[in-house]
Amino acid sequence: MTTTAIRHDWNVTEVEALLALPFNDLMFKAQSVHREHFDPNAVQISTLLSIKTGSCPEDCKYCPQSAHYNTGLEKEKLLEIEKVIKAAKEAKENGSSRFCMGAAWRNPNDRDMPLVLDMVKQVKSMGMETCMTLGMLTEEQADTLAEAGLDYYNHNLDTSEQHYENIITTRTYSDRLNTLANVRKSGMKVCSGGILGLGETVTDRAAMLAQLANMDVHPESVPINMLVKVEGTPLDHEDDVDPIEFVRTIAVARILMPASHVRLSAGREDMTDEMQALCFLAGANSIFYGCKLLTTANPSENEDMQLFKRLGIHPEHKQETKPEEQQNAALADALEHEKHKHIFYDAAR
């Protein structure tokens, strides 16, 4: 039985107060909330594959894939479907329940959409959850991806609205919110979080978390990233994030969004085992698994499994469904969406 109320009316001052709690009190509160909604020793495992790398027209100051910066990254074409399916099969064999595909685009174009949709359908047919991050989406594109069976769409807020223009100028904060609204209206699940280490203040972190927690429906997946500094990007000399402050952010994300998976995401390669253990204690219950996240390093599968064994953690298992059950579930989701579609709003307004 859960006793924690799920709220959508957090203000920044309240979130800052949580971030400032004595560490032991914050951890106790976060762990208590976590145990009401999840198996405290289960961690959802995802694998991320770059299906199109480099030459992105956006100027995100943290990203080595931006065409605006010289990071030595080679531009790559959209991967052939066979390579994607091979990678998905390997991910499933290694314990991943969700396969995420990312393309360095401002937004997907009509020419590439058929291949993207085929990737979704084929990975979905393997019994895995599917996720994509392709940049901004129109309402029509979101609907098309949902119809193909895409489960999750990732589009991070990155930081607060106030700090956003210091990090990205080629799209607006409203553009990001509009894409998230289109994803939600399509019936897909939302994956959205942020990055720590962008030169933001504690207030910026609180504002970002409040923005996510005040959505009419919380993101089902909330990745909390630690900046991976890449030489050639404008943020490659930013100060390191204090490990305790990072853990605090994980804990507050858990408290604000009790039923969401909070993902310990980019930056794990630079985290000690002890820091990761504190993140799991704070309520992180999802990770990216594998040696590479798009273009940056990530701990190997063996290292993760060794850490899981030491901590008594096990992968969260997704119950596979048969095709007929998938169709029935999709029909039920569609009926539920139609029943409740009045709750959705245009977040760009």
Side-chain angles (χ1 to χ4, degrees), residues 223-349:
I224 304 296
N225 301 272
M226 188 169 72
L227 175 66
V228 178
K229 291 178 279 190
V230 178
E231 186 176 356
T233 61
L235 297 180
D236 64 351
H237 296 301
E238 279 293 325
D239 292 338
D240 292 340
V241 177
D242 178 85
I244 297 299
E245 293 305 308
F246 187 90
V247 176
R248 284 181 177 277
T249 306
I250 292 282
V252 173
R254 166 54 62 220
I255 293 166
L256 299 185
M257 293 166 278
S260 302
H261 279 82
V262 176
R263 178 177 296 145
L264 184 56
S265 199
R268 285 203 304 123
E269 176 74 6
D270 296 321
M271 297 179 189
T272 64
D273 287 353
E274 293 78 8
M275 181 179 173
Q276 291 187 68
L278 281 176
C279 287
F280 293 133
L281 185 63
N285 62 339
S286 177
I287 63 168
F288 275 127
Y289 187 61
C291 62
K292 197 172 184 181
L293 296 185
L294 295 180
T295 62
T296 56
N298 196 47
S300 71
E301 293 93 337
N302 286 338
E303 289 175 356
D304 284 331
M305 287 299 102
Q306 289 170 9
L307 179 59
F308 276 23
K309 184 176 181 179
R310 290 167 62 198
L311 298 177
I313 285 174
H314 58 85
E316 180 183 274
H317 297 293
K318 172 182 173 290
Q319 185 174 359
E320 295 188 16
T321 56
K322 299 176 182 179
E324 182 180 354
E325 293 173 332
Q326 290 177 340
Q327 291 176 5
N328 291 337
L331 178 59
D333 287 345
L335 291 172
E336 187 70 11
H337 172 63
E338 184 66 23
K339 179 181 176 182
H340 296 291
K341 67 180 181 180
H342 65 281
I343 69 172
F344 299 117
Y345 67 102
D346 185 352
R349 291 179 181 172

Side-chain angles (χ1 to χ4, degrees), residues 25-270:
D25 293 344
L26 177 60
M27 294 293 281
F28 179 79
K29 185 175 182 64
Q31 179 64 199
S32 299
V33 171
H34 186 57
R35 286 173 177 268
E36 287 187 8
H37 295 269
F38 292 100
D39 175 347
N41 298 309
V43 173
Q44 189 275 326
I45 295 177
S46 299
T47 295
L48 177 61
L49 175 71
S50 177
I51 59 173
K52 187 270 178 186
T53 302
S55 197
C56 179
E58 304 284 12
D59 68 351
C60 309
K61 291 184 178 179
Y62 54 81
C63 186
Q65 300 205 62
S66 172
H68 294 257
Y69 317 124
N70 182 16
T71 61
L73 190 68
E74 296 285 335
K75 177 183 178 180
E76 297 177 359
K77 296 180 179 178
L78 188 64
L79 282 183
E80 300 93 338
I81 187 70
E82 291 80 8
K83 292 181 180 178
V84 174
I85 300 309
K86 181 175 183 291
K89 288 180 179 177
E90 291 175 353
K92 185 177 182 181
E93 290 170 0
N94 286 328
S96 289
S97 60
R98 186 180 308 162
F99 192 69
C100 305
M101 295 158 274
W105 289 327
R106 176 178 172 80
N107 53 273
N109 59 52
D110 293 339
R111 180 190 67 234
D112 293 319
M113 279 299 284
L115 183 56
V116 167
L117 297 174
D118 195 20
M119 291 177 183
V120 172
K121 292 173 183 176
Q122 294 212 37
V123 173
K124 183 84 171 177
S125 71
M126 295 165 52
M128 299 186 78
E129 290 182 328
T130 53
C131 179
M132 281 191 160
T133 178
L134 312 171
M136 294 185 292
L137 291 182
T138 65
E139 190 170 339
E140 293 73 24
Q141 288 172 326
D143 288 343
T144 301
L145 287 166
E147 289 167 5
L150 188 63
D151 296 298
Y152 288 80
Y153 192 82
N154 167 259
H155 202 62
N156 290 332
L157 293 182
D158 289 346
T159 189
S160 70
E161 184 172 9
Q162 292 72 27
H163 189 52
Y164 186 83
E165 63 182 12
N166 299 320
I167 305 302
I168 303 163
T169 66
T170 49
R171 74 173 90 170
T172 67
Y173 206 71
S174 291
D175 288 333
R176 288 192 181 267
L177 292 173
N178 190 53
T179 287
L180 291 174
N182 290 337
V183 171
R184 182 60 77 192
K185 285 187 286 189
S186 75
M188 287 187 291
K189 296 176 182 177
V190 169
C191 175
S192 187
I195 306 171
L196 273 61
L198 304 179
E200 76 282 353
T201 64
V202 172
T203 300
D204 289 318
R205 293 175 188 170
M208 177 196 70
L209 291 172
Q211 180 76 56
L212 293 167
N214 288 343
M215 292 179 177
D216 280 1
V217 180
H218 290 165
E220 285 80 2
S221 183
V222 182
I224 304 296
N225 301 272
M226 188 169 72
L227 175 66
V228 178
K229 291 178 279 190
V230 178
E231 186 176 356
T233 61
L235 297 180
D236 64 351
H237 296 301
E238 279 293 325
D239 292 338
D240 292 340
V241 177
D242 178 85
I244 297 299
E245 293 305 308
F246 187 90
V247 176
R248 284 181 177 277
T249 306
I250 292 282
V252 173
R254 166 54 62 220
I255 293 166
L256 299 185
M257 293 166 278
S260 302
H261 279 82
V262 176
R263 178 177 296 145
L264 184 56
S265 199
R268 285 203 304 123
E269 176 74 6
D270 296 321

